[in-house]
Amino acid sequence: MEIRILGPVEPTVPPKPAQILAVLAVECGKIVPVERLIDLIWGEEPPPQARKSLQVHISSLRRTGLPVEHRAAGYVLNTDPESVDLHAFRRLVARAHDEVDLKLKAEALDSALQLWRGTPVVFAQTLDVQRLAAAEAWVDAELALGRHAELVDRLGAFVAEYPLAERLRGQLMTALARAGRRADAMRVFRETRKVLVDELGVEPGEQLQQLYRDVLEGSRDSRRNYLPRDAGDFTGRDRELSRLLDGDGGVWWIEGPAGVGKSALAVHAAHRLADRYPDGQLFVDLHSPSGALDALLRAMDVPSERIPESAEERAALWRATVSGRRVVIVLDGVTSVSQVRPLLPGSPGCLTLITSRSRLCGLEGVRRIPLDVLGNDEAVTLLRRILGDDRVAAEPDQADEVARLCGYLPLAVRITGARLAGRAHWPVSKLVRRLSDERSRLDELVADDLAVRSSLELTYRALDANARRAYRIFGFLGLPEVPSFLWVHLLDEDVLDQLVDARLLDVIGSARYRMHELVRLHARELAEAEDPLPDREDVVRRAVVAALSTVDGLTEQLFLAVPRMQDSLGVLAPVARPADKDAWFAHEEPLLVRLVERAAELGLVEIGAQLAEVLVFAWFGLRNRYEAWERTHTAALEAAWRTGDVRLEAVLRCSLGQMHYKRDNLVEARSWFDTAQTLFVGLGDQRGEAVAMNGIGMVCRDLGQYPCALEALDRARELLASHDLEGEAHALYGIGSIKRELADDAGAFETLRQAAEVYRRASSRRGEALAARGIGLVHRARGELALAEEHIRRAHEMVAGIGDELLGCYTAQALAKVLLRRGFLDQAEELIGQALDGCRDVGDRFGEALVRRTLGEWRLAAGDHAGARAVLADLLPVWNDLSLPLWRARTLRDLGAVHARLGDVEGADRSWDEAAGLFTRLGTREMGEVHQWPARWGLASVSP
């Protein structure tokens, strides 16, 4: 069945079904989501029953025999695209673009234009732009064939349809002038000027005005300026433009990705240089060497009968024609060096500006100018020149956001500016909202004959099948960059080189690739349209597995309340360990986080969660990377909810509880652990229950809820005994630390020694160090300072050997306190400084507060009572914020000592009184020491 949408829809159906059919025909063979259909047919305010109405209209289309099929995500017109006139039109235009023979080119374009019967019912503006472009290309071909007189009538009809198309009017003036009708050509210019002034309030462009002057003067060279109109709002490129303007002719190769402004720079420079090249300013949109030579020779007034048939003879005639002349030639859209060689003038006085999306080599004596996207300021300046200062000044932040969402790509910025300029009632913020949706961003980046999608489409379709697939893979991955540890498992390097040469990928660093944001959206769009869902999911799955194989080799045993619960897939051969692990993770963190999120988006829950958990033990937990930790686990958790994976939900809740515990959000951590424990019990998963109980026990310990903490940790130890050595050791360590606080020194020694032994059996050097520090703290609390120093110094040396900087801060603080009590103030001060810097570097709030309290004690011992008071007083609200009553009590005790040294009896009594109340409520060892404080610090008594 033939389907026609370039005019009234055929077969004939009622208006609404006709619109739906037209949309489906535009996307023939591709699934159109229901939401997009509703938005396109009914706009921003669809009726309440839009989905029902859509179903009714689809049914009516099916009854006419149209092959409209329902798919999970929407509807598809399942027919041969060649049966749709729009796709036939596009095929003919594409064939003409690649055609070498001018006559065949003109015939193909003429056939394409004949398919139009009126105004389309959908996408009228966008499709009309395509028709206008085809018409202009057809006229170019006809003019190049010398059919000036034959063109006039039909060209006049096109001008009547597109009265504001300056290029079309210039073509009509050229045809009239070449046909000897100079008066008519000048009349067209006057009419054009009136239309432009009346309708738009602007004068004709410089190119049209120059053409008018040439016709008016009857100049022999009246057809020598073929440059497109210079952009009046040309912005940036100062360095590149200076190189061109300061040069002395020769060949310049301007290269860069689609939409970056290569043609704009070349045309702008050619206009600026016109006076230095008075014998001609020529522009060729390059299709083939033969056709281009024909156009260039005719532009230099070579009669048709003198132009030879063979490309070699034409090239020789071209070099002879420009010999001794000063001509600037812009060769736009070059795709190969072979296209260029025949077109290069032999005269040293000529300037050739080549624009290309490809990185090509092999052309001798060429100077290259690579172009990248604009800077933020340049992009906003371009937007301001299009919109005017007032609109941008009214919403400066929104203008910055428009530039960012456009990826600072000049074409995209120009399109958004044109859209806003044509909609004076739109605030800039409205377009920001529309551009913010990645799914529809490319739909928004269309204005008249400008479109980011179509610009990228040309480059994409020129690739071979393997390169096109690689392009789609990059887009669907959705990553900001793709390093070698990922792409080596997905793609061949030779194929990637093709994408780099086509300027669809950029190489950064060593074998690392980046894709511009708008290019990525286009590539993802194509992947979703052309690749089956299982193939797409497999790409992301393989990328996650590749990341797991790298990261899993970098994990460490941490002294977390919650041990690792997810196992690595282990399906790939291990890769080389980075020389600098911290630098590697700091660089790769955004990519790894995004990879977890991408897996979660696609429902690849298990492997996404595995990567998230591995990252905790390789990076997040070691360096307190809380934001990344939360992002990955929240994404994986939401995916687990969607798939109903209760065990995975419990595992992730435990990990989020650990994250909040490390961030000192104790109440929130308890909530996450409690829910996880409930889920594990419901599943009958005793190991999971024990892990959650470990977390609950550590939270309760820090909150000073010791009975609850001991109950939870005893339960964890019971469940984990002989099954999970590391988890069992964590529980034992927690129990030992609580017994120390409760003055059960014998029990603390015994339990902490058990913990050290289990850590040793689990091969956890970090855990051994933690247990050794804990034993040292018991000795310190008993006043056995030599033994305390022995154990804590050994722990500090063990930590230094494994490179755990954060744990090293805690062992340094503990050692500093022992040295302080032994009177070694200088050594203690150095350790305090190191620990304080280390905790601040990783954002450890509790660690920083702990070290600051030790600093207050050091100042007290050093006799700096005012300094000690300032430090300790500042800590009181911190302990409140962290919900740590024991540490508030200890700081109050020290602050009371400072007041005593300053002779402030009331201050000392007040601080000690509150401290004593807290110690008594908590039941810690300090409640038995309250009576010793006054005598120790030089006061006779303390208030009851």
Side-chain angles (χ1 to χ4, degrees), residues 79-98:
T79 190
D80 182 0
E82 281 299 309
S83 66
V84 179
D85 58 356
L86 171 62
H87 296 285
F89 166 80
R90 288 174 171 171
R91 179 183 55 78
L92 288 165
V93 170
R95 192 177 80 189
H97 181 274
D98 297 330

Side-chain angles (χ1 to χ4, degrees), residues 474-730:
F474 259 83
F476 194 73
L477 273 178
L479 302 178
E481 297 174 1
V482 180
S484 58
F485 75 87
L486 291 184
W487 65 254
V488 293
H489 300 291
L490 300 171
L491 298 162
D492 182 83
E493 190 168 10
D494 290 340
V495 175
L496 296 178
D497 285 343
Q498 289 186 50
L499 297 181
V500 171
D501 289 341
R503 299 307 298 260
L504 294 171
L505 278 184
D506 289 319
V507 182
I508 50 175
S510 176
R512 187 180 190 88
Y513 297 93
R514 176 187 295 152
M515 184 174 271
H516 187 278
E517 179 69 7
L518 296 180
V519 178
R520 183 185 64 76
L521 293 180
H522 179 251
R524 176 173 174 174
E525 185 180 88
L526 289 172
E528 292 175 347
E530 299 182 18
D531 296 321
L533 180 59
D535 290 356
R536 286 181 266 144
E537 290 179 343
D538 183 62
V539 165
V540 177
R541 182 182 292 105
R542 285 190 290 141
V544 175
V545 171
L548 272 168
S549 72
T550 302
V551 176
D552 192 42
L554 304 175
T555 58
E556 299 185 25
Q557 292 173 299
L558 304 179
F559 58 96
L560 303 178
V562 179
R564 179 172 167 182
M565 296 181 66
Q566 290 298 105
D567 296 324
S568 169
L569 295 180
V571 295
L572 293 179
V575 296
R577 183 185 178 98
D580 187 337
K581 174 184 169 182
D582 281 8
W584 187 86
F585 270 114
H587 192 256
E588 302 296 354
E589 179 185 287
L591 179 146
L592 293 166
V593 170
R594 180 62 190 130
L595 191 54
V596 173
E597 292 175 332
R598 192 75 184 103
E601 289 168 5
L602 295 173
L604 305 175
V605 186
E606 184 70 23
I607 59 169
Q610 286 176 1
L611 180 55
E613 276 290 87
V614 167
L615 285 168
V616 171
F617 290 82
W619 177 243
F620 299 160
L622 272 71
R623 295 293 178 266
N624 289 3
R625 303 297 298 171
Y626 299 128
E627 182 181 351
W629 189 341
E630 186 167 20
R631 275 183 58 185
T632 54
H633 283 63
T634 299
L637 181 60
E638 290 174 353
W641 287 338
R642 292 195 301 269
T643 58
D645 192 328
V646 178
R647 183 182 181 279
L648 195 54
E649 178 186 346
V651 170
L652 293 164
R653 283 184 173 278
C654 267
S655 192
L656 285 166
Q658 176 65 51
M659 181 207 70
H660 285 290
Y661 175 70
K662 281 181 65 66
R663 295 184 86 167
D664 306 306
N665 301 328
L666 299 180
V667 175
E668 193 164 355
R670 174 68 190 271
S671 174
W672 286 97
F673 285 134
D674 280 344
T675 304
Q677 190 260 348
T678 300
L679 293 175
F680 280 128
V681 169
L683 291 167
D685 185 337
Q686 291 193 335
R687 179 173 181 267
E689 178 190 353
V691 169
M693 294 302 288
N694 243 342
I696 291 170
M698 300 304 282
V699 171
C700 290
R701 180 199 68 172
D702 289 359
L703 290 171
Q705 300 168 0
Y706 298 122
C708 166
L710 286 171
E711 181 182 356
L713 292 169
D714 276 332
R715 174 62 175 166
R717 179 181 62 173
E718 176 188 343
L719 292 171
L720 292 169
S722 303
H723 299 295
D724 183 337
L725 293 178
E726 194 173 357
E728 181 185 358
H730 286 336

